[in-house]
Amino acid sequence: MPRNTAHPRPARQAYLTLALAVALTGTLTACETSAAAQGTAHTPTGRPGAATAHSARLTALAQRDVDAGAPGVIVRVDKGEGRVTEIARQAPWTRTDHTLTASDRFRMGSNTKTMVATVVLQLATEDRLQLTDPVEKWLPGLVPNGNSITLRMLLNHTSGLFDYTHDPDVLKAFTGQDTRRWTPGELIAAGVRHEPLFAPGTDYSYSNTNYIALGLVAEKATGHSLDDLIQRRIAGPLHLKNTYLVTGADARSEDGSKSGSENGSKAVQRPALAHGYEPDAAHIGPLLPPGTPAGTAFAGPQRPAGHVDTTWINSSTEWAAGGIVSTAQDWARFSGALLSGKLLPPARLKEMRTTVAEEAEFPNRRYGLGLEQVVTPCGTVWGHNGEVPGYSSENYTDATGRRTVSVLTGTIFGLVPPKAGAANRALVDAAVCTMLGKPIPAAPAPTAS
């Protein structure tokens, strides 16, 4: 839903509207360790020198991120050779809830869009649908002016549809203040009851409404549920054992088990779900953008350091726009397979990587079909980012899919203060540069919170 960018997208994160900021998208940008924060690190061995130095630097930057205010962070870097670097760091007050590890499951937010787009492009390859099809063909009467909006426009956010996460009623559910379960049809209705932003195909505006519609189209075209399509077409073939789409309430077991209610399968054992946190009602006010409805705050059990635990917040507003749960390792396998051509034929992958400019304030980012091209300080990467309450995720790969990187952080609004934001940006930059085999940029001097 919201997005960080290698060179932050504060507007997508928390500075424009809460809904945009916490709606289902991610950030790319760019020490001393503290005994106060705890965690684990897997440092490459057998390659002394630069590789070890990079791992140590990433570990220090992850610790700095936590010291600056991030409740927890997971970093995974695979340079396509040698051992993978995996790091997990967390604030000590979070350990009562869960001991964070690099293999934990994580709510991936708008990275979900890349998987949904992959399924849609696979269906187009099989002639089950066409990207030139109007929405009206598949969802008659659901989207006003649906004869003028094509599936391609949904995929690259040029439809002009209002983002349902900006709707006040959806916002209450998104923040957990309303526990009613929303259906995909209701989410679209919440979006289209607002005027469109522009005529279809004439401009770009990121909208989660687009991907809820695409999820319904995929179901209509196949007769299968979206979570089943993701399992059959992506998770199963790639052996992603810890990746699934949440369609209802998660099973709340700390041993990592899952009830099977999300995809109809019988219970399976999984790594634990990392906990996510947001500032509590007493602390979030100054972090919210102007115009946010009065009383906006995240629901959840109170935690130390002015936080609430948002791990089990109402997730029914996410679905095809941001409902995937996965791990850094699973996501690396998916993104690597996608960019290396294992999931789509060359012509379809080329379509996916055909981009349009995003908003003018983000000249380093362009949007394809559920996939972003991002120019970073160390080179161009492909991927997406995402945020849902308590979770910010950034997952990227090089153009070949051989190198992958993930930075997963256990908050959205906890990164809004300047010091926290700068520390997180420095970590993401360093991780991306390490993935690309480039020198890690010098971290900026700490700033005041």
Side-chain angles (χ1 to χ4, degrees):
M1 298 172 96
R3 299 117 60 93
N4 284 340
T5 64
H7 289 293
R9 184 191 300 262
R12 294 269 186 198
Q13 223 176 348
Y15 301 108
L16 284 185
T17 67
L18 175 62
L20 185 58
V22 294
L24 300 148
T25 86
T27 301
L28 253 194
T29 51
C31 236
E32 300 171 357
T33 60
S34 163
Q38 305 295 318
T40 61
H42 166 202
T43 304
T45 58
R47 279 194 161 225
T52 301
H54 276 187
S55 179
R57 178 75 181 280
L58 286 175
T59 300
L61 287 172
Q63 186 66 61
R64 177 183 167 186
D65 196 9
V66 169
D67 292 343
V73 64
I74 294 169
V75 181
R76 186 182 193 277
V77 180
D78 186 348
K79 297 174 62 177
E81 60 182 7
R83 294 183 64 181
V84 174
T85 297
E86 293 181 323
I87 300 163
R89 286 289 181 270
Q90 68 185 121
W93 59 264
T94 67
R95 293 178 68 83
T96 301
D97 290 324
H98 169 62
T99 300
L100 188 68
T101 73
S103 62
D104 283 346
R105 291 177 291 134
F106 201 88
R107 298 190 190 277
M108 290 295 182
S110 276
N111 290 280
T112 301
K113 292 178 175 67
T114 307
M115 277 196 175
V116 172
T118 301
V119 169
V120 170
L121 288 167
Q122 289 176 339
L123 296 176
T125 300
E126 298 162 11
D127 291 325
R128 309 282 285 274
L129 52 78
Q130 302 296 324
L131 301 190
T132 54
D133 286 346
V135 177
E136 183 69 14
K137 174 180 177 179
W138 295 101
L139 307 176
L142 196 58
V143 177
N145 199 24
N147 277 317
S148 299
I149 299 173
T150 67
L151 302 188
R152 187 186 300 277
M153 293 175 190
L154 298 178
L155 286 163
N156 66 9
H157 297 296
T158 59
S159 70
L161 292 176
F162 183 88
D163 190 336
Y164 70 85
T165 61
H166 295 198
D167 182 86
D169 291 337
V170 178
L171 179 58
K172 290 179 181 178
F174 191 81
T175 57
Q177 295 177 331
D178 175 9
T179 59
R180 178 174 71 88
R181 180 174 175 179
W182 287 68
T183 68
E186 290 171 335
L187 296 175
I188 291 181
V192 302
R193 69 184 173 213
H194 299 269
E195 288 296 315
L197 305 180
F198 48 80
T202 63
D203 205 345
Y204 169 96
S205 184
Y206 190 93
S207 175
N208 291 293
T209 309
N210 294 324
Y211 275 75
I212 299 298
L214 286 167
L216 290 176
V217 169
E219 291 189 336
K220 189 76 172 289
T222 62
H224 293 284
S225 66
L226 181 61
D227 49 323
D228 188 44
L229 290 171
I230 289 171
Q231 290 300 316
R232 291 182 181 215
R233 292 173 169 270
I234 298 175
L238 295 180
H239 306 290
L240 309 182
K241 297 182 179 180
N242 299 301
T243 298
Y244 58 91
L245 180 71
V246 174
T247 60
D250 293 283
R252 304 188 180 195
S253 63
E254 289 304 305
D255 63 1
S257 64
K258 170 176 162 306
S259 67
S261 61
E262 288 112 353
N263 59 22
S265 62
K266 60 184 179 180
V268 294
Q269 198 72 13
R270 301 186 186 280
L273 178 65
H275 279 238
Y277 305 89
E278 295 297 346
D280 63 18
H283 294 85
I284 199 167
L287 308 178
L288 299 177
T292 300
T296 297
F298 290 94
Q302 191 71 36
R303 292 293 182 261
H307 288 85
V308 292
D309 186 341
T310 61
T311 306
W312 307 112
I313 209 167
N314 187 350
S315 60
S316 66
T317 61
E318 298 162 13
W319 197 54
I324 286 285
V325 170
S326 189
T327 64
Q329 182 178 26
D330 268 13
W331 206 267
R333 185 174 295 175
F334 162 63
S335 58
L338 177 61
L339 269 293
S340 64
K342 293 181 175 66
L343 294 175
L344 295 171
R348 290 297 181 189
L349 185 57
K350 182 178 180 181
E351 280 187 285
M352 194 178 208
R353 293 171 56 162
T354 300
T355 60
V356 297
E358 299 194 33
E359 293 93 338
E361 68 262 39
F362 306 119
N364 67 312
R365 301 183 77 89
R366 295 181 62 87
Y367 206 94
L369 306 184
L371 187 69
E372 285 187 291
Q373 179 190 51
V374 186
V375 179
T376 80
C378 288
T380 298
V381 296
W382 293 87
H384 214 291
N385 47 34
E387 282 90 26
V388 290
Y391 300 86
S392 296
S393 55
E394 304 208 39
N395 297 285
Y396 302 102
T397 180
D398 67 358
T400 69
R402 183 166 172 263
R403 300 168 181 255
T404 60
V405 62
S406 293
V407 178
L408 313 178
T409 309
T411 188
I412 300 172
F413 282 87
L415 301 181
V416 172
K419 182 178 180 181
N424 192 254
R425 291 193 300 273
L427 174 61
V428 175
D429 272 351
V432 171
C433 291
T434 299
M435 173 191 75
L436 295 175
K438 302 292 182 63
I440 294 177
T447 58
S449 295

